[in-house]
Amino acid sequence: MTEQADILQPLPDALDKASAALASGRLVAFPTETVYGLGASAMIDEAVAAIFEAKGRPHFNPLIVHVPDSATAAQHTVFDERASLLADAFWPGGLTLVLPRRPDTPISLLVSAGLDTMAVRCPAHPVAHALLERAGPLAAPSANASGKLSPTQATHVAASLGTGHGHLAMVLDGGECAIGLESTVIGLPLDGPATLLRPGAVPGEDVEAVLGYALAKAAPHTSNDDSTQGRSSPGQLASHYAPDAPIVLNTTQFDENDVVLAFGAEPCPLPKGSLNLSPSGNLREAAAHLFSMLRLLDAVAHGKRIAVMPIPMDGLGAAINDRLTRAAAPRP
Ligand code: TXA
Ligand code: MG
């Protein structure tokens, strides 16, 4: 049996231990303002490979490289004017940019999963930032088993990945993630339009306001087929973010076979065990609660289905509905 990973409070001492573990090729889970990430030194092939193994992640699905600032991003990618504009407006924060790799970058090719692009993000969470300052660029997907709910608390990481395997050295506990939904992913191909690859923490409308024009939209994926070539964002499988219980969306009538994930005013007394994302109908509050409430409902469902009330599509609603639609999609 391999050594057990600890959940540590991120005091300077824990940050030093985490940096040393990363430098030796091990994995460290750390908080960001969106969700917890499973980090590896982006320069060490074996460490990046261990991320795919720990998550059971398909090898065609590339990883985000987290950087302490845009100057670091520009060392590794072709950081054009659009990238600078968006980084100035939204970094540090919940925006990821997919850019051409620089041919001379020492970042592992494994993060790009065979593409000639690299996703970069500068997170705002002070623990993530302190770790990046010490340990350099970190490849980090959400710290959950592939296809499952993303972690918004340190204990979720341990529950999803298990802490008993050798790759994961430790989980840095930075409390609950303030946003609770993954970053927005924008593709910036050299010869093509800025494209929304994944709705997320920064509403698409806000990105469009800074660019001054509309984003192109990536075609939605309707299949879970791993072999499909040419995906613009390979991680966008139809089924993802899935709890174990079946889930139905846009429901306002419930029966005893449901536990309800409500939003706003409740139309009738809800079945026992139900939860409300935001009784006042606030989308920020709903985003922050989404993954943790799905986890809680999954734990009490016992064969019942999770019925979700309608959620509007404006602002963070686009990302919330994206995650819910994929949580409800037929499983592979
Ligand atoms: O908020 C977040 O983005 C979190 C935190 C930890 O930063 N990370 C995260 O990573 O959600 P992950 O691996 O769960 O999702 C990354 C998404 C995937 O859909 C992946 O396909 C896409 O970004 N992606 C990464 N590199 C890409 C690339 N070179 N081209 C297109 N899509 C890419
Ligand atoms: Mg993920």
Side-chain angles (χ1 to χ4, degrees):
M1 191 64 205
T2 46
E3 128 196 23
Q4 193 86 355
D6 295 326
I7 296 184
L8 295 181
Q9 301 302 315
L11 302 167
D13 182 41
L15 287 168
D16 289 343
K17 275 191 190 155
S19 310
L22 289 162
S24 72
R26 297 188 71 199
L27 306 183
V28 171
F30 63 96
T32 84
E33 68 281 20
T34 59
V35 299
Y36 274 74
L38 179 65
S41 169
M43 315 271 188
I44 305 177
D45 285 333
E46 294 76 9
V48 177
I51 289 180
F52 287 90
E53 201 184 314
K55 278 184 63 99
R57 183 176 178 107
H59 279 85
F60 63 80
N61 192 1
L63 304 175
I64 298 172
V65 176
H66 296 70
V67 290
D69 47 44
S70 48
T72 308
Q75 284 168 18
H76 302 291
T77 59
V78 180
F79 211 76
D80 68 8
E81 254 176 63
R82 298 171 302 179
S84 296
L85 196 63
L86 294 178
D88 287 349
F90 299 111
W91 281 4
L95 187 78
T96 293
L97 301 174
V98 174
L99 299 163
R101 286 178 71 101
R102 282 195 183 280
D104 56 346
T105 173
I107 301 277
S108 171
L109 279 166
L110 293 178
V111 304
S112 297
L115 302 170
D116 53 10
T117 53
M118 189 194 301
V120 284
R121 165 161 114 85
C122 173
H125 195 292
V127 173
H129 205 79
L131 190 62
L132 290 167
E133 291 283 357
R134 284 175 166 75
L138 298 177
S142 50
N144 52 282
S146 185
K148 298 296 186 182
L149 295 167
S150 297
T152 55
Q153 297 172 21
T155 50
H156 296 164
V157 178
S160 189
L161 290 178
T163 55
H165 61 79
H167 294 311
L168 182 60
M170 68 188 78
V171 182
L172 291 175
D173 186 352
E176 204 162 336
C177 300
I179 298 176
L181 275 181
E182 299 85 349
S183 62
T184 301
V185 182
I186 304 286
L188 294 174
L190 278 184
D191 52 359
T195 304
L196 179 64
L197 299 177
R198 177 177 73 180
V202 176
E205 303 92 289
D206 294 5
V207 177
E208 292 178 336
V210 169
L211 287 173
Y213 49 84
L215 289 165
K217 304 278 187 298
H221 294 299
T222 51
S223 119
N224 293 312
D225 178 3
D226 292 5
S227 64
T228 309
Q229 295 297 309
R231 293 178 189 285
S232 48
S233 192
Q236 296 294 82
L237 295 179
S239 172
H240 205 138
Y241 312 105
D244 292 328
I247 168 164
V248 287
L249 305 182
N250 297 319
T251 312
T252 46
Q253 287 181 327
F254 318 106
D255 62 33
E256 70 280 5
N257 293 316
D258 297 324
V259 283
V260 177
L261 186 60
F263 176 80
E266 297 166 6
C268 54
L270 301 182
K272 193 163 163 276
S274 298
L275 294 170
N276 196 322
L277 286 169
S278 170
S280 68
N282 178 311
L283 288 165
R284 285 202 169 276
E285 186 184 18
H289 290 157
L290 179 67
F291 287 130
S292 57
M293 287 193 173
L294 282 172
R295 270 171 206 277
L296 290 170
L297 292 178
D298 212 14
V300 300
H302 302 305
K304 296 181 179 178
R305 42 172 222 175
I306 300 173
V308 186
M309 282 178 60
I311 295 170
M313 276 299 281
D314 53 309
L316 285 177
I320 296 172
N321 280 297
D322 169 79
R323 305 303 187 268
L324 284 169
T325 303
R326 286 189 286 131
R331 316 275 160 86

